[in-house]
Amino acid sequence: AAQVGAGDYEGALASADRAVALLPEYPGSWNNRAVSLWHLEKLNEATVAITTAYSKEKEILATLAAETFDRSYQESPILFHRRRVFTAFNQGSILLDLGAYTAAVEAYQRAESILADWQPQLAGGTLVSDAFLAKLWSNFAIALVNHPSQSWQAGDYASRSTQYAPDAYEIWYNSGLIQTAA
């Protein structure tokens, strides 16, 4: 993730590949692999990696639901659900770039659902930052505006995005474009 932040996408992919090789059942490794591939504009490979991350999360969720959560797992349950939000966002963003608007909407809806379930669980904290929420709602709005049966909701999400990043030019710009198109 740090290498992606530094723009070293090839290095990030190599690191993610090593992480996947060491612990293939860990969804975070697959998520990081997907983000690296996405930045390298290898969208089909990124889609496979993010889908794998999502399926690994589903396996862990089944364990959580059975209340047999392995305490040796790398993350606490709340961090696991935080990562689920990121996986859903990344999946939506990759699908958005592919023009798969229906699937992108579904991924962003999953992120929204996870936030609704887990944000209230935190006393005095937030699951994700306001800047992240602004990007999530802005991207969700873009997917919605391109989705024939749900485009009417795009303006609401665009407006919501500006509430979380009132000083972010990109968010306001996207919001204006979406409000005009919706």
Side-chain angles (χ1 to χ4, degrees):
Q3 287 172 302
V4 167
D8 180 12
Y9 307 125
E10 292 288 346
L13 179 59
S15 294
D17 284 343
R18 282 192 301 277
V20 165
L22 289 170
L23 195 60
E25 66 275 4
Y26 181 58
S29 301
W30 289 98
N31 188 8
N32 289 342
R33 185 173 199 286
V35 171
S36 301
L37 289 163
W38 175 33
H39 283 285
L40 291 168
E41 298 182 12
K42 297 178 179 182
L43 298 179
N44 291 328
E45 290 178 65
T47 301
V48 170
I50 201 70
T51 301
T52 303
Y54 176 59
S55 76
K56 300 293 181 187
E57 287 176 353
K58 284 175 61 175
E59 292 169 11
I60 295 167
L61 278 173
T63 305
L64 285 173
E67 296 188 29
T68 59
F69 190 73
D70 181 0
R71 294 291 172 201
S72 67
Y73 184 70
Q74 298 84 356
E75 298 175 316
S76 70
I78 201 70
L79 288 177
F80 168 70
H81 292 296
R82 181 177 188 267
R83 183 171 293 283
R84 287 180 60 217
V85 174
F86 291 129
T87 298
F89 171 79
N90 291 336
Q91 185 175 36
S93 299
I94 291 165
L95 293 165
L96 188 63
D97 280 357
L98 283 168
Y101 302 116
T102 299
V105 165
E106 290 169 3
Y108 292 132
Q109 286 171 330
R110 194 171 70 253
E112 182 176 38
S113 175
I114 297 164
L115 284 169
D117 288 346
W118 289 96
Q119 190 88 345
Q121 307 271 347
L122 298 173
T126 58
L127 199 57
V128 295
S129 70
D130 285 354
F132 176 82
L133 286 173
K135 289 179 195 173
L136 171 62
W137 303 139
S138 182
N139 284 9
F140 197 172
I142 292 167
L144 286 166
V145 82
N146 288 288
H147 191 278
S149 66
Q150 294 180 299
S151 61
W152 59 274
Q153 295 177 326
D156 292 339
Y157 282 94
S159 178
R160 187 186 300 186
S161 71
T162 62
Q163 294 171 14
Y164 286 94
D167 299 327
Y169 168 81
E170 178 184 329
I171 297 297
W172 280 100
Y173 181 80
N174 286 346
S175 179
L177 291 175
I178 292 161
Q179 298 284 356
T180 303

